[in-house]
């Protein structure tokens, strides 16, 4: 039996998500086509200038904004941030340190601390789920 190697493709939105960039800021030829697995791998290993610029300057999608600010995506929404932000805007928020950002960072720190505590407890109990 011969095995046919089919080319896996994905929508531009999926590829943009995997690349960590905001789809609407990508070039038209990227948004209007499909992306093969090989093309995605090539973009990841040897990013073209437009991709390097987007990753450096933005605008960034919400998951990237949340990570750069140290908060959850829900925390961004609670803080009123619903649009993609540029690196410059993110840096300005970090300098301004608005109350919502400090509150959400503290919440995120507690979530991480609790997750670590539960993971440690699970390891100590031998992972039996008790």
């Amino acid at each position: 039996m011969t095995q046919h190697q089919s080319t896996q493709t994905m929508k531009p939105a999926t590829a943009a998500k995997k690349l960590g960039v905001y789809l609407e800021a990508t070039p038209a030829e990227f948004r209007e086509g499909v992306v093969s697995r090989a093309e995605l791998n090539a973009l990841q290993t040897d990013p073209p200038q437009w991709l390097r610029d987007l990753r450096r300057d933005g605008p960034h999608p919400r998951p990237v904004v949340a990570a750069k600010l140290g908060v959850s995506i829900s925390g961004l929404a609670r803080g009123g941030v619903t649009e993609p932000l540029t690196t410059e805007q993110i840096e300005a928020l970090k300098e301004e340190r608005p109350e919502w950002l400090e509150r959400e960072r503290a919440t995120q720190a507690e979530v991480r601390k609790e997750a670590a505590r539960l993971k440690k407890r699970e390891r100590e109990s031998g992972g039996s789920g008790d």
Side-chain angles (χ1 to χ4, degrees):
M1 178 185 268
T2 60
Q3 188 173 358
H4 295 288
Q5 183 68 31
S6 64
T7 302
Q8 287 184 330
T9 60
M10 62 193 82
K11 294 177 182 176
T14 304
K17 191 175 203 175
K18 289 179 181 286
L19 293 169
V21 295
Y22 180 55
L23 177 63
E24 300 306 315
T26 61
E29 61 268 14
F30 181 86
R31 289 192 309 269
E32 294 165 1
V34 293
V35 181
S36 71
R37 175 67 61 192
E39 289 169 326
L40 178 69
N41 290 341
L43 287 169
Q44 289 173 323
T45 55
D46 187 21
Q49 189 61 47
W50 66 263
L51 181 55
R52 289 194 301 268
D53 292 345
L54 265 181
R55 285 178 167 168
R56 183 186 62 240
D57 303 325
H60 303 286
R62 288 184 311 158
V64 173
V65 173
K68 287 179 178 275
L69 289 174
V71 300
S72 67
I73 294 172
S74 299
L76 281 180
R78 285 189 292 270
V81 178
T82 57
E83 297 297 317
L85 298 179
T86 63
T87 300
E88 188 176 312
Q89 291 169 312
I90 292 168
E91 292 305 316
L93 274 174
K94 286 180 177 179
E95 287 178 26
E96 292 168 18
R97 300 175 64 134
E99 181 194 331
W100 71 265
L101 180 57
E102 294 300 311
R103 185 175 59 247
E104 292 300 333
R105 281 179 163 174
T107 299
Q108 192 69 6
E110 286 299 316
V111 168
R112 283 192 289 270
K113 197 161 97 176
E114 179 65 8
R117 184 188 70 78
L118 292 173
K119 189 174 183 179
K120 180 181 178 191
R121 190 175 83 181
E122 186 177 313
R123 273 196 317 268
E124 289 171 352
S125 69
S128 64
D130 290 329

